[in-house]
Amino acid sequence: MARKTPEINASSMADVAFLLLIFFLVATTMDIDSGLNRVLPPWSEKQTDAPDIKERNLLLVHVNKYDQIAVQGELLTINQLKDRAKEWVLNRADDDNLPEKKVEEIALIGKHPVSQGVISLQNDRATSYEMYIKVQNELTRAFNEIRDELSKAHFGKVFLELEKEQQDAIAKAVPMKISEAEPQNIK
């Protein structure tokens, strides 16, 4: 008499595999890419023309395909960019070639000269992502340092340690105006 080989009942194997899949999906963490912290204006169906900006109120920053940075046509290194941007935005000497200032009444601060300057950043299509991020970081760092200096002068703390109303006042006194133009092929 031939002996039968016992079979394993595999009908619940699909259920076990499904439960394991659910477990791994729930228990696994994914690395989240960090990006640039920017607040975009709200979407509007109505297209508006860009406001006219006086030439003196515009700082042109170009990054070419070789990752070289030109500010108003002058080549700079990444280490010089932040200080150049700060010097330009602050215009401490009220130079006629640097941006205008408009004195505004700001809550918690009082009358304060607000720079009318806008930094216009344009990258070449072949600019490396690493240089793009470095330039963005340096320009942001310039504004953050100006905000920290003003925060310390008025409230005795750096910007990030301030209360919400104080941060709003400092942000109004030092608006972060960085305009990014569409990438082109820059020589």
Side-chain angles (χ1 to χ4, degrees):
M1 198 173 189
R3 198 173 206 203
K4 281 189 163 182
T5 311
E7 293 183 17
I8 297 175
N9 184 0
S11 62
S12 65
M13 196 64 80
D15 294 337
V16 171
F18 182 72
L19 289 173
L20 283 172
L21 178 65
I22 297 296
F23 171 77
F24 285 116
L25 286 174
V26 171
T28 304
T29 59
M30 301 286 185
D31 287 337
I32 298 172
D33 292 335
S34 59
L36 299 171
N37 185 15
R38 295 284 185 261
V39 177
L40 299 174
W43 173 256
S44 172
E45 291 291 330
K46 180 178 74 170
Q47 296 294 322
T48 59
D49 294 332
D52 288 332
I53 299 174
K54 294 181 182 177
E55 189 175 328
R56 75 178 270 192
N57 291 338
L58 194 61
L59 180 69
L60 300 173
V61 178
H62 295 277
V63 184
N64 67 16
K65 64 183 174 183
Y66 305 109
D67 290 345
Q68 296 172 319
I69 303 166
V71 177
Q72 303 290 70
E74 177 187 346
L75 285 178
L76 296 180
T77 65
I78 192 71
N79 298 329
Q80 298 170 311
L81 183 60
K82 174 196 55 102
D83 292 332
R84 178 67 176 272
K86 276 180 66 173
E87 171 189 316
W88 183 82
V89 169
L90 289 171
N91 188 9
R92 296 183 204 268
D94 290 326
D95 186 332
D96 289 338
N97 297 318
L98 298 178
E100 298 172 300
K101 297 178 196 172
K102 182 179 175 186
V103 177
E104 294 184 20
E105 183 68 35
I106 299 172
L108 304 177
I109 294 177
K111 292 186 186 260
H112 182 78
V114 178
S115 175
Q116 300 302 299
V118 176
I119 297 177
S120 176
L121 173 62
Q122 185 169 33
N123 295 288
D124 186 277
R125 291 187 192 283
T127 300
S128 73
Y129 186 71
E130 180 181 356
M131 181 56 78
Y132 171 80
I133 295 297
K134 284 181 181 179
V135 169
Q136 286 278 352
N137 285 343
E138 289 301 302
L139 294 176
T140 301
R141 194 160 66 122
F143 282 100
N144 287 342
E145 285 186 12
I146 296 169
R147 286 178 173 181
D148 280 345
E149 291 167 9
L150 190 61
S151 297
K152 287 178 186 175
H154 284 277
F155 305 112
K157 302 185 236 183
V158 294
F159 180 75
L160 292 176
E161 294 176 356
L162 299 177
E163 301 294 323
K164 173 82 169 99
E165 298 81 30
Q166 294 170 327
Q167 283 185 349
D168 291 345
I170 296 295
K172 189 172 180 184
V174 184
M176 191 176 299
K177 294 181 182 177
I178 301 174
S179 169
E180 193 165 341
E182 183 177 336
Q184 294 182 351
N185 293 328
I186 304 170
K187 296 179 183 177

